[in-house]
């Protein structure tokens, strides 16, 4: 095993015609406010503005590279340290922006740590971050960012975190440069130069080898000595370290990139760590994140690495469809548009409206069983309907704790994977339902929580928005139970306040004052007196509204809200418990 190791100043690391790449299969940029603030404090807090020698030595850890750090004729690949090097590049970009207002020459000099210039006068990117391309180039490595990607950035994605980091540093630097200038009587550009020199004068230690296999072995060895590294990085590098005849390295890197891409949809971005842990639990056993690497080594044989990687890729695609379902999620199966819409609605309620993540472990297995023709569509639909209603009662209404659910979901998921036929499936599903039903609160507890629900059309808080979501689901569930199925005109529905919300917004938002109404009738009845509303309700086809007319055709006021809410709650509880 041949490698070189040496300390190097940050200014030398980012200059001298050296170029670095972060391949697509590497872990995406993930730093959040705490890590960013720690990094910023490591720079600023080590400056002595009031002393003649203002900068102090600082060490930013180890960077592991594939390539030749001495000759550097080709770009060096960053195997470990990509989070810090990316963050430094973002910091330089923000610092150059702040400096631009005071001294363009200094700003241009800082910019050379981002865009270098070779012997022929050609510009080159010092860091090629392929995992975040092309957003990284536009936002961080362009002085005239067009912002063409900004509108489509989803919260939680790598692009979002890069933008957050840039904005974080820009805000901090803008404020501190001004504050330090006033506090120490120095020009703002002098403060900027001191901050720049503190970072560029700090050091890293690089470990460099010509072969990725050697670097991966060093990487694993460092981890065994106690330095904290990411589990997925270790697993990935273990897979990539196997001889090419077992794991075609180029193909393996392509598959790893596909896994990351599979976990991004138009509305959601899932952490690879989250997916991998759920995947492992659903296949092999319960595990903490910190134990996954050791569990991988003891469970998966090297000769099976490539097939394991392909299995991961396929499951990542399925996992994302469970989290963010699409119209094409049952491709290759003859499923009606109505059934697809129903499944999408159920999964959306579980993952988005009720904010449940543990159930993904189990639903992933059920979805894969159906797609592999091991069970029928109605089996899949019935079990996700049960899960939806369970979490509605358990979490959305009664706010019960979920600390025991992950183990249960994982255990039953693994049993379902082993189910040889529908008979085995049905036996396990019956045990699953009985087990989860035993966790549900009693009717009184449910109703006592249910009557506190409210729905306000004009909501300004996250808490009220969530109450609106649950209240709307409740009124729709009430209609579904009275109708006898979910097959009603849900595309034309709207939530109606029977006694107009304007009469007393804090009271008339009560769940007992809500009903389901066709959208056109809702518009007609808006702000009308109750007598006029009752006439319009007679045109409604919704069972819940007709039932209201049967019970309250003569009189309905604020004193009736609680009694009606308790009646609705009892109907829903009985409908869910008895049906399941």
């Amino acid at each position: 095993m041949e490698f070189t190791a040496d300390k190097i100043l940050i200014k030398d690391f980012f200059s001298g015609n050296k170029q670095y790449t972060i391949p697509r299969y590497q872990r995406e940029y993930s730093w959040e406010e705490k890590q960013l603030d720690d990094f910023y404090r490591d720079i600023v807090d080590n400056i002595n503005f009031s002393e003649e020698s203002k900068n102090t030595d600082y060490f930013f850890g180890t960077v592991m590279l594939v390539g030749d750090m001495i000759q550097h004729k080709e770009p060096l690949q960053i195997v470990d340290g990509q989070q810090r090097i990316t963050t430094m590049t973002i910091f330089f970009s923000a610092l150059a922006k702040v400096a631009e207002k005071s001294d363009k020459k200094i700003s241009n000099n800082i910019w050379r740590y981002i865009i270098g210039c070779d012997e022929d006068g050609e510009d080159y990117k010092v860091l090629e971050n392929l995992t975040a391309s092309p957003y990284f180039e536009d936002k961080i490595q362009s002085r005239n960012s067009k912002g063409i990607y900004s509108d489509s950035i989803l919260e939680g994605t790598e692009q979002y975190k890069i933008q957050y980091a840039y904005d974080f540093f820009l805000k901090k630097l803008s404020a501190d440069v001004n504050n330090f200038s006033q506090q120490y009587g120095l020009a703002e550009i002098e403060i900027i130069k001191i901050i720049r020199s503190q970072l560029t004068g700090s050091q890293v230690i690089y470990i460099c080898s010509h072969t990725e296999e050697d670097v991966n072995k060093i990487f694993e060895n460092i981890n065994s000595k106690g330095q904290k590294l990411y589990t997925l990085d270790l697993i990935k590098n273990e897979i990539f370290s196997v001889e090419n005849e077992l794991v075609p390295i180029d193909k393996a890197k392509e598959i790893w990139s596909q896994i990351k891409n599979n976990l991004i949809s138009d509305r959601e971005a899932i952490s690879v760590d989250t997916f991998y842990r759920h995947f492992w639990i659903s296949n092999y056993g319960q595990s903490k994140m910190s134990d996954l690497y050791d569990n991988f080594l003891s469970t998966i044989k090297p000769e099976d690495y490539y097939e394991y990687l392909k299995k991961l890729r396929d499951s990542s695609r399925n996992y994302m469809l469970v989290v963010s379902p699409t119209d094409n999620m049952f491709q290759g199966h003859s499923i009606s548009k109505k059934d697809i819409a129903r499944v999408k609605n159920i999964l959306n309620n579980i993952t988005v409206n009720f904010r449940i993540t543990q159930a993904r472990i189990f639903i992933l297995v059920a979805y894969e069983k159906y797609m592999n023709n091991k069970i029928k569509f109605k089996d899949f639909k019935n079990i996700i309907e049960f899960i939806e209603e369970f979490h509605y009662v358990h979490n959305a209404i009664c706010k019960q704790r979920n600390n025991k659910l992950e183990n249960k979901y994982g255990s039953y998921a693994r049993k379902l994977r082993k189910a040889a036929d529908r008979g085995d499936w049905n036996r396990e599903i019956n045990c699953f339902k009985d087990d989860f039903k035993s966790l549900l609160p009693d009717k009184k507890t449910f109703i006592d929580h249910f009557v506190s629900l409210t729905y306000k059309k004009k909501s300004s808080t996250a808490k009220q928005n969530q109450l609106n979501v649950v209240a709307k689901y409740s009124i729709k569930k009430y209609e579904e139970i009275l109708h006898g199925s979910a097959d009603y005109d849900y595309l034309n529905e709207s939530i109606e306040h029977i006694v107009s919300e304007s009469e007393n917004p804090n009271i008339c938002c009560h769940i007992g004052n809500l009903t389901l109404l066709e959208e056109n009738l809702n518009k007609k009845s808006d702000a009308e007196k109750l007598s006029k509303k009752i006439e319009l309700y007679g045109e409604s086809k919704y069972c819940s509204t007709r039932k209201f007319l049967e019970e309250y055709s003569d009189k309905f006021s604020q004193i009736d809200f609680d009694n009606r809410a308790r009646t609705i709650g009892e109907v829903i509880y009985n409908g869910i418990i008895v049906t399941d």
Side-chain angles (χ1 to χ4, degrees):
M1 184 188 304
E2 294 185 4
F3 66 91
T4 58
D6 202 353
K7 61 184 179 181
I8 186 171
L9 294 174
I10 299 297
K11 66 179 179 181
D12 295 329
F13 186 91
F14 280 87
S15 60
N17 288 338
K18 290 185 283 293
Q19 292 178 261
Y20 306 93
T21 63
I22 300 175
R24 291 188 185 280
Y25 60 82
Q26 289 283 28
R27 180 167 53 90
E28 64 269 18
Y29 186 72
S30 61
W31 276 21
E32 297 183 347
E33 185 170 347
K34 184 183 184 306
Q35 293 100 322
L36 295 172
D37 191 60
D38 287 345
F39 176 85
Y40 186 78
R41 297 262 67 87
D42 286 342
I43 297 171
V44 175
D45 289 355
N46 281 287
I47 298 174
N48 300 312
F49 287 103
S50 59
E51 297 182 14
E52 184 175 348
S53 179
K54 296 178 173 28
N55 297 120
T56 58
D57 293 338
Y58 193 78
F59 174 59
F60 274 103
T62 303
V63 179
M64 303 188 68
L65 306 165
V66 176
D68 190 332
M69 197 63 170
I70 308 300
Q71 299 293 330
H72 51 78
K73 294 180 180 179
E74 299 292 333
L76 293 101
Q77 180 180 312
I78 301 177
V79 173
D80 182 44
Q82 63 266 38
Q83 302 288 315
R84 279 166 289 145
I85 300 306
T86 300
T87 301
M88 289 178 189
T89 303
I90 296 170
F91 183 88
F92 280 133
S93 184
L95 187 61
K97 183 69 174 178
V98 174
E100 197 172 31
K101 298 176 183 178
S102 302
D103 190 320
K104 288 189 176 180
K105 181 180 177 180
I106 296 299
S107 177
N108 290 339
N109 287 340
I110 295 171
W111 192 253
R112 282 304 175 194
Y113 296 120
I114 302 167
I115 301 294
C117 183
D118 64 20
E119 294 176 350
D120 297 324
E122 296 294 328
D123 287 348
Y124 65 89
K125 294 187 287 289
V126 176
L127 176 65
E128 185 94 31
N129 190 328
L130 297 177
T131 73
S133 178
Y135 180 77
F136 192 75
E137 291 97 314
D138 179 67
K139 180 66 180 179
I140 305 302
Q141 297 174 308
S142 173
R143 304 200 80 166
N144 299 300
S145 174
K146 299 176 183 177
I148 54 177
Y149 306 100
S150 299
D151 293 340
S152 59
I153 292 176
L154 294 171
E155 186 171 352
T157 61
E158 181 176 23
Q159 291 84 352
Y160 178 89
K161 291 178 180 179
I162 288 169
Q163 178 174 297
Y164 184 89
Y166 178 81
D167 292 343
F168 176 89
F169 289 138
L170 192 64
K171 183 178 179 180
K172 285 275 191 182
L173 287 166
S174 298
D176 282 351
V177 165
N178 179 264
N179 293 337
F180 294 150
S181 173
Q182 295 183 33
Q183 182 177 351
Y184 297 103
L186 297 170
E188 289 193 359
I189 193 60
E190 292 303 317
I191 299 295
I192 291 169
K193 288 160 63 177
I194 292 167
I195 292 173
R196 174 206 60 191
S197 297
Q198 179 59 40
L199 177 56
T200 58
S202 297
Q203 297 179 342
V204 293
I205 288 178
Y206 70 82
I207 300 174
C208 188
S209 176
H210 290 284
T211 70
E212 191 169 352
E213 181 180 358
D214 284 349
V215 172
N216 287 334
K217 289 178 180 178
I218 299 169
F219 186 84
E220 182 177 351
N221 188 51
I222 289 175
N223 183 68
S224 69
K225 297 295 188 292
Q227 181 172 330
K228 182 180 177 183
L229 298 172
Y230 284 85
T231 295
L232 263 294
D233 286 335
L234 291 169
I235 293 172
K236 176 195 67 184
N237 283 284
E238 167 63 21
I239 292 173
F240 290 176
S241 70
V242 176
E243 295 295 332
N244 275 3
E245 55 263 27
L246 292 179
V247 179
I249 193 66
D250 291 338
K251 188 64 177 175
K253 291 178 180 179
E254 179 184 339
I255 291 174
W256 196 268
S257 295
Q258 289 171 350
I259 291 169
K260 292 173 60 178
N261 291 335
N262 286 343
L263 296 170
I264 300 174
S265 74
D266 291 338
R267 73 175 194 188
E268 187 92 25
I270 301 297
S271 160
V272 180
D273 289 356
T274 298
F275 155 68
Y276 183 82
R277 184 166 174 272
H278 285 175
F279 166 84
W280 185 271
I281 291 171
S282 74
N283 281 276
Y284 304 103
Q286 196 67 25
S287 177
K288 295 186 294 185
M289 194 70 202
S290 58
D291 295 333
L292 282 173
Y293 178 59
D294 290 337
N295 290 339
F296 168 81
L297 292 178
S298 63
T299 305
I300 311 299
K301 298 177 181 178
E303 57 266 30
D304 297 327
Y305 283 179
Y306 189 52
E307 290 303 314
Y308 179 79
L309 198 57
K310 291 192 289 184
K311 184 179 178 181
L312 263 180
R313 176 195 57 196
D314 295 342
S315 270
S316 67
R317 187 186 306 116
N318 295 333
Y319 185 87
M320 197 64 200
L321 288 170
V322 167
V323 175
S324 186
T326 69
D327 290 337
N328 298 320
M329 68 181 298
F330 296 112
Q331 197 166 19
H333 296 256
S334 298
I335 307 298
S336 69
K337 290 183 179 179
K338 183 182 293 184
D339 278 332
I340 292 174
R342 173 65 176 156
V343 167
K344 287 174 63 180
N345 188 53
I346 292 169
L347 294 176
N348 185 68
N349 284 330
I350 295 168
T351 60
V352 179
N353 292 340
F354 302 158
R355 303 173 181 177
I356 304 300
T357 58
Q358 299 93 331
R360 298 173 188 173
I361 298 166
F362 184 89
I363 297 172
L364 173 65
V365 177
Y367 175 69
E368 291 180 341
K369 280 284 186 180
Y370 170 69
M371 294 303 290
N372 292 325
N373 299 308
K374 301 298 182 182
I375 58 172
K376 294 184 177 181
F377 177 76
K378 69 176 184 179
D379 298 325
F380 173 70
K381 185 160 76 82
N382 287 343
I383 192 57
I384 63 172
E385 283 176 341
F386 173 86
I387 293 171
E388 175 197 35
E389 292 179 341
F390 170 83
H391 284 291
Y392 165 70
V393 175
H394 190 267
N395 300 101
I397 298 296
C398 295
K399 305 292 189 292
Q400 302 290 300
R401 298 179 66 181
N402 286 340
N403 55 327
K404 295 181 180 179
L405 296 186
E406 184 180 86
N407 286 350
K408 287 183 179 291
Y409 273 126
S411 176
Y412 283 107
R414 295 188 294 275
K415 290 176 182 178
L416 288 184
R417 282 207 186 273
K418 297 176 182 177
D421 52 39
R422 284 191 74 210
D424 289 345
W425 167 275
N426 288 331
R427 280 188 291 274
E428 293 299 341
I429 289 297
N430 287 336
C431 291
F432 170 84
K433 286 184 174 182
D434 289 341
D435 195 357
F436 273 67
K437 278 183 182 180
S438 70
L439 302 175
L440 290 174
D442 60 29
K443 186 189 297 186
K444 182 180 183 304
T445 301
F446 173 82
I447 294 175
D448 286 346
H449 282 82
F450 181 84
V451 297
S452 67
L453 288 177
T454 58
Y455 182 91
K456 294 182 179 180
K457 289 185 177 178
K458 294 182 179 180
S459 171
S460 59
T461 66
K463 181 179 179 180
Q464 185 59 54
N465 288 339
Q466 184 60 21
L467 285 171
N468 283 359
V469 166
V470 179
K472 185 174 183 178
Y473 178 91
S474 300
I475 295 301
K476 292 168 66 174
K477 178 59 67 174
Y478 180 51
E479 174 66 28
E480 180 183 318
I481 291 169
L482 294 180
H483 188 273
S485 74
D487 187 18
Y488 66 88
D489 185 14
Y490 60 86
L491 296 177
N492 192 32
E493 69 194 11
S494 64
I495 300 297
E496 161 78 352
H497 291 86
I498 301 168
V499 176
S500 179
E501 192 177 9
S502 60
E503 290 193 17
N504 191 330
N506 292 327
I507 295 177
C508 293
C509 60
H510 194 281
I511 186 73
N513 188 43
L514 305 180
T515 192
L516 209 59
L517 199 62
E518 289 83 351
E519 193 170 353
N520 63 320
L521 294 179
N522 189 301
K523 290 178 181 178
K524 289 180 181 179
S525 67
D526 187 39
E528 292 283 356
K529 295 294 183 181
L530 183 59
S531 57
K532 178 60 177 177
K533 287 190 172 193
I534 287 177
E535 290 180 23
L536 292 169
Y537 293 172
E539 300 176 29
S540 177
K541 295 180 180 179
Y542 290 124
C543 297
S544 52
T545 301
R546 290 185 173 276
K547 187 170 180 62
F548 167 78
L549 291 176
E550 292 173 6
E551 297 175 348
Y552 297 97
S553 58
D554 297 329
K555 186 178 73 170
F556 184 73
S557 63
Q558 295 175 15
I559 61 173
D560 298 307
F561 292 175
D562 190 71
N563 286 337
R564 182 168 179 267
R566 290 184 178 278
T567 299
I568 293 173
E570 184 170 9
V571 170
I572 292 174
Y573 188 87
N574 290 341
I576 288 175
I577 300 301
V578 172
T579 302
D580 290 334

